[in-house]
Amino acid sequence: MGTSSGSAAASGTPPGAPLAHRVPDLGALELLLAVARLGSLGRAAKELGITQPAASSRIRSMERQLGVALVDRSPRGSQLTDAGALVTDWARRIVEAAEAFDAGAQALRDRRDSRLRVAASMTIAEYLLPGWLIALRTQRPDTAVSLTAGNSTAVAERLLAGDADLGFVEGLAVPNGLDSAVIAHDSLIVVTAPGHPWARRRKPLAAEELAATPLILREEGSGTRQVLDAALGGLARPLIELSSTTAVKASAVNGAGPAVLSELAVGEELSARRLVNIPLEGVRLRRALRAVWPTGHRPTGPARDLLSLTRAGAG
């Protein structure tokens, strides 16, 4: 025969070594199959987009790993040795199995990418997510998105139960079992209908007076309520407890009493003078808005893309 690749490694890899050290990688096996099909190391290298010296080095490395000569090279081309022909048969089965593995993994990704389940606390769900989801639609028109709105506690529960892929919360802290990224900041403001006595006051409202006054509030467990309770030392007094931002706002507009709401939620009502912003002193009602997901499970696919859109908007 022609000039074989040296002595083709006398011993190969020790049998006790891990399988990954004893079996050539897929790239080397694909190269060997191309050499067998084309009868030329140069043509095989060109088909796989590598240089001929790199292909020669990869064949020699595989021969050392296996401890047998696989290819005889001569001016007339490259020819498999008897051992090389046998190894090529095995390589074909491995590559076919890898192709089936890759097809299965792609099917899993396609199934993952076909839907996105989002859970969000009320303010984010009503005033921020619609814009983000419209932007996501242009990137992933085939992804079906479902949105569940609830308070921050409910969002955490859905994520931890595996019922949502990505969540958004407004509370002061990250719920246990979740990782997070800050995507925006928001301030809470005190608002009343124009006919309320506070709408005519000349001095800012003190924290003590706010704490002593019954308010239209979101329910316990909501991010808005958490921020207010923390700012007032847990002294906020509910006049009415409601489970949505829209309901709180409507009650305030109709004169039921003062309310504490996100400034995101009341821009239109303030501009139209259906609500009045009451200045505060001695208390700061600012919070971070966060994307959240189960600890150790960074968002992938559509959830990752939505997270990128929210953070781009925050910047």
Side-chain angles (χ1 to χ4, degrees):
M1 294 180 130
T3 56
S4 151
S5 2
S7 60
S11 58
T13 305
L19 188 61
H21 296 163
R22 290 183 281 134
V23 177
D25 63 43
L26 281 174
L29 296 179
E30 288 180 313
L31 174 61
L32 183 63
L33 290 173
V35 171
R37 186 176 69 256
L38 300 171
S40 164
L41 188 62
R43 287 197 293 272
K46 184 176 180 180
E47 180 178 272
L48 296 179
I50 60 177
T51 65
Q52 184 164 340
S56 295
S57 175
R58 186 170 288 183
I59 291 292
R60 286 195 298 270
S61 176
M62 183 163 44
E63 289 174 331
R64 286 194 299 271
Q65 184 178 26
L66 297 177
V68 295
L70 301 173
V71 179
D72 278 330
R73 292 177 280 283
S74 72
R76 296 186 302 276
S78 300
Q79 189 174 19
L80 297 179
T81 65
D82 290 343
L86 186 58
V87 170
T88 299
D89 286 339
W90 299 336
R92 187 171 292 108
R93 283 179 253 168
I94 293 173
V95 170
E96 288 172 352
E99 288 172 345
F101 180 95
D102 180 58
Q106 183 60 51
L108 288 175
R109 289 191 293 271
D110 289 343
R111 186 171 70 181
R112 176 205 66 192
D113 293 353
S114 69
R115 66 172 186 173
L116 173 61
R117 301 168 301 166
V118 180
S121 52
M122 290 294 185
T123 300
I124 297 176
E126 293 182 47
Y127 300 100
L128 293 176
L129 260 171
W132 297 336
L133 293 179
I134 289 170
L136 180 68
R137 183 74 175 172
T138 65
Q139 294 185 10
R140 290 186 174 269
D142 297 326
T143 298
V145 180
S146 62
L147 171 61
T148 301
N151 63 37
S152 296
T153 299
V155 169
E157 290 172 352
R158 291 189 67 84
L159 285 167
L160 294 173
D163 295 329
D165 305 305
L166 185 64
F168 297 93
V169 297
E170 307 158 8
L172 290 172
V174 180
N176 291 334
L178 301 180
D179 288 338
S180 72
V182 174
I183 56 168
H185 288 87
D186 178 33
S187 294
L188 302 181
I189 59 175
V190 178
V191 293
T192 69
H196 191 277
W198 284 359
R200 298 186 293 275
R201 64 183 298 134
R202 297 179 180 229
K203 294 182 180 179
L205 185 68
E208 295 78 13
E209 188 174 355
L210 181 64
T213 302
L215 304 169
I216 306 169
L217 298 176
R218 285 288 309 279
E219 80 286 4
E220 292 186 3
S222 70
T224 299
R225 184 69 173 270
Q226 290 173 18
V227 172
L228 181 62
D229 283 344
L232 299 181
L235 299 177
R237 296 177 56 195
L239 172 65
I240 311 171
E241 287 186 325
L242 298 169
S243 61
S244 80
T245 299
T246 300
V248 172
K249 183 167 60 173
S251 296
V253 168
N254 289 324
V260 177
L261 287 165
S262 163
E263 63 181 354
L264 293 171
V266 293
E268 182 179 339
E269 287 74 18
L270 293 174
S271 296
R273 290 288 296 175
R274 292 196 297 272
L275 288 174
V276 178
N277 181 5
I278 309 303
L280 282 172
E281 65 178 5
V283 63
R284 188 169 183 264
L285 300 177
R286 185 166 168 82
R287 60 185 176 178
L289 307 182
R290 294 180 174 89
V292 288
W293 56 88
T295 299
H297 297 276
R298 186 99 185 149
T300 59
R304 177 198 59 220
D305 292 348
L306 178 58
L307 177 60
S308 296
L309 287 169
T310 65
R311 300 181 80 173

